[in-house]
Amino acid sequence: MTIFRFALKRILRDKTNVLFLTLFPIAAIFLPTAEDGWPLLPLGYQYFGILLLFVSIRLTSIMIEDRQKGVVKRLAAAPVSHFNYLWQNLLAFSVIMIIQIIIIISGGYAYGHELYEPWNLTILYLVFMFTAISISLAWNSLYRSKESSFLIFMAVIVLMALLGGILFPVEMMPVVFERIAVIFPTYWLSEGIEWIVFGEDRGDFLFINGVLLLYALFFLIIGSIRRIS
Amino acid sequence: MTIASIKGIVKRYKHQIALDYVDLDIHEGEILGLLGPNGAGKTTLIHCLMGIIPFDKGVIQLFGQEGAVFHHENKKKMGLVTQEITVFEELTAKENLEFFAGVYGLKGEEKKQRVKEALEFVGLSSKAKQTPNKFSGGMKRRLNIACALTHRPKLLIMDEPTVGIDPQSRNHILDAVRKLKEQGTTILYTTHYMEEVQSIATRVVIVDQGQVISEGTVDELINNIQHEEKILIDVNDATMIPIDRLKSLEGVKQVQVNGSVIQIISNAGAGNLDRALSIVKETSGVVGIQAEKPNLEDVFLTLTGKQLRDGEDDPS
């Protein structure tokens, strides 16, 4: 578990990372609930998916750094498989993001927010977290510099949030946009949030999480291809 | 005893041939200098040998086993010092070594001890708790080497480990390489610095354009071209010298102008010194004359027709 342990060390050694990883979820707990009935959950919980995307691109950027510096090449010469390198890094990212999810759910519960079904919300965030990590992994595999990857991905996140129904309801968009919204994982996150508030058929919730997991699997495969230089 | 044997390796990148039927043996306990200009195929050869990239044809035998470059057990016996400085800037020197020691399967007390030894070996014990971003280029290079030593490899592959550092750090690294050899480590040392190979290598392999063009000890390689002589004539105005007339002299193999110096390589005993001098004197004053003993640079020049540091911007 050397790679896992040192990935955590490297992430937490960066002070900006620590601020980013702790302050933002705590601040999200204290965001108010909308008065006009939308978003359905308190604002911090509606936008938490955006935070997960930001965090995942930041965390996975250490893998671009490894590629840039030749660490991946050096590890390829060592008795450790690329699969090992990959899963231990992903585990480190997941542990950090799971802690963030626990903070926001337990914090919101303690603060007195109406979270409807906190356990299901936790599941939804966890599944979306895997999707976010996979998307970031695939995204980063396209870039040689972590700075350009991060900057362009920020624009992509905003676009996904806008078109996926996180920032305002999909129903408010023109019909064409409403139709293409389904291709964004953020759409399925907002659908999941809606299910948690209105609690309809259990199968719908499973379907939503299933779609998100399929996205996770798809991007994981793309992002897993070993690129040495 | 042969530790690694490479037979007929071919590696292509699309339509470009990086390695063209390369044969190479590495003997136990030697420092084998792999010499060649940038783009010669040195790094590609190393990557194939370490199992980092696949090759298209040929066989590599490691520690007596055929086709064993991807076996983890063999990788444990090998160490790679990369051309790039592959250390983590956010971790201390000690943590960097702990990371690589852990990757090679070392644990507990043994790991602690090996990390300590590696830091001492490269002279970084006092900097163990500092992060490399505060290190000089030479110190970073030394740390980069130490990362490949904690698991005590039998075969250490060093890919241009002295690129871009000051002479003092270079000497420190070369001393470390000699010490490793004394401890029984077999070393494959690639560089395009001829002086380094001449000072440390027990045997030299010269590669160019993906092919092994010559191999032997430094003395053997030099003796092979001893049938030639090199005349250096320092002139007032090199632009006026009729190079074509010099080239047409019987026995002259090559004429080159380096600044104000005319370099003539001709068959030994061809008696061209007087003839060349009289041609030069017709058009320019002569400042000095020198006949040089050949070195590896000359060997390379003779074999390939170009200098070792040609194509500096063309990384392999």
Side-chain angles (χ1 to χ4, degrees), chain B residues 127-272:
Chain B
K127 310 280 179 193
K129 289 184 179 168
Q130 283 186 20
T131 50
N133 50 16
K134 292 174 189 128
F135 286 5
S136 68
M139 284 158 73
K140 280 184 188 175
R141 285 265 163 213
R142 273 144 61 192
L143 178 62
N144 198 37
I145 292 173
C147 289
L149 298 180
T150 50
H151 63 291
R152 290 188 190 154
K154 282 186 177 173
L155 173 61
L156 180 65
I157 294 174
M158 305 180 87
D159 191 6
E160 311 215 9
T162 56
V163 168
I165 58 169
D166 58 280
Q168 202 186 349
S169 293
R170 173 172 294 176
N171 287 337
H172 197 293
I173 289 172
L174 295 180
D175 284 342
V177 175
R178 285 189 199 99
K179 231 186 275 177
L180 282 168
K181 183 192 177 293
E182 280 166 22
Q183 291 170 4
T185 311
T186 306
I187 297 158
L188 174 64
Y189 190 98
T190 84
T191 182
H192 56 260
Y193 296 117
M194 170 276 293
E195 321 83 68
E196 289 184 3
V197 166
Q198 203 151 2
S199 82
I200 61 165
T202 40
R203 207 160 57 88
V204 181
V205 170
I206 297 177
V207 287
D208 188 37
Q209 293 180 340
Q211 290 179 321
V212 171
I213 52 171
S214 193
E215 63 177 291
T217 62
V218 174
D219 286 342
E220 281 168 359
L221 291 173
I222 289 171
N223 286 340
N224 286 344
I225 62 155
Q226 264 306 23
H227 53 278
E228 291 174 350
E229 63 186 18
K230 187 175 175 182
I231 303 161
L232 300 172
I233 308 173
D234 196 357
V235 295
N236 285 333
D237 186 2
T239 56
M240 302 296 288
I241 306 298
I243 301 296
D244 288 342
R245 276 184 65 199
L246 289 172
K247 278 182 179 172
S248 67
L249 288 174
E250 201 183 327
V252 167
K253 286 183 164 183
Q254 199 176 51
V255 179
Q256 267 196 340
V257 180
N258 299 319
S260 66
V261 178
I262 313 293
Q263 179 183 285
I264 302 161
I265 296 175
S266 73
N267 290 338
N272 278 326

Side-chain angles (χ1 to χ4, degrees), chain A residues 15-52:
Chain A
K15 283 174 189 149
T16 324
N17 264 349
V18 176
L19 277 177
F20 200 68
L21 297 174
T22 51
L23 283 187
F24 280 74
I26 291 171
I29 296 169
F30 299 102
L31 290 181
T33 306
E35 284 170 4
D36 58 355
W38 202 95
L40 304 166
L41 286 178
L43 290 173
Y45 294 80
Q46 175 74 14
Y47 302 146
F48 188 61
I50 300 175
L51 181 71
L52 287 176

Side-chain angles (χ1 to χ4, degrees), chain A residues 7-132:
Chain A
L8 279 181
K9 247 187 196 178
R10 288 169 67 196
I11 291 163
L12 299 177
R13 195 69 44 102
D14 185 332
K15 283 174 189 149
T16 324
N17 264 349
V18 176
L19 277 177
F20 200 68
L21 297 174
T22 51
L23 283 187
F24 280 74
I26 291 171
I29 296 169
F30 299 102
L31 290 181
T33 306
E35 284 170 4
D36 58 355
W38 202 95
L40 304 166
L41 286 178
L43 290 173
Y45 294 80
Q46 175 74 14
Y47 302 146
F48 188 61
I50 300 175
L51 181 71
L52 287 176
L53 283 165
F54 272 115
V55 170
S56 62
I57 192 74
R58 182 143 183 117
L59 295 181
T60 52
S61 70
I62 69 165
M63 292 173 83
I64 296 194
E65 233 176 75
D66 286 355
R67 207 160 8 103
Q68 260 179 330
K69 283 187 179 170
V71 172
V72 173
K73 187 203 293 177
R74 196 163 199 163
L75 290 175
V80 58
S81 64
H82 180 63
F83 176 74
N84 233 308
Y85 166 76
L86 201 68
W87 83 257
Q88 289 196 40
N89 269 306
L90 294 184
L91 184 65
F93 309 150
S94 304
V95 164
I96 288 172
M97 291 172 78
I98 287 170
I99 292 170
Q100 287 191 311
I101 292 171
I102 293 171
I103 289 174
I104 195 163
I105 298 285
S106 54
Y109 189 74
Y111 188 69
H113 276 310
E114 174 58 87
L115 297 180
Y116 300 92
E117 295 190 44
W119 286 112
N120 282 333
L121 188 59
T122 308
I123 291 168
L124 182 68
Y125 283 157
L126 282 174
V127 171
F128 188 74
M129 172 201 85
F130 287 122
T131 313

Side-chain angles (χ1 to χ4, degrees), chain A residues 128-196:
Chain A
F128 188 74
M129 172 201 85
F130 287 122
T131 313
I133 291 175
S134 303
I135 292 173
S136 304
L137 188 71
W139 181 264
N140 278 337
S141 71
L142 305 173
Y143 289 84
R144 281 168 186 264
S145 135
K146 68 172 187 179
E147 287 77 18
S148 43
S149 159
F150 187 71
L151 281 174
I152 302 171
F153 196 64
M154 282 207 293
V156 173
I157 290 174
V158 173
L159 199 73
M160 281 204 291
L162 273 172
L163 298 175
I166 296 276
L167 295 178
F168 53 84
V170 201
E171 294 76 26
M172 282 175 65
M173 292 191 288
V175 183
V176 183
F177 285 106
E178 219 178 303
R179 277 186 192 149
I180 60 167
V182 294
I183 65 165
F184 298 106
T186 41
Y187 170 83
W188 297 98
L189 175 69
S190 58
E191 283 289 293
I193 289 173
E194 206 177 304
W195 184 91
I196 281 159

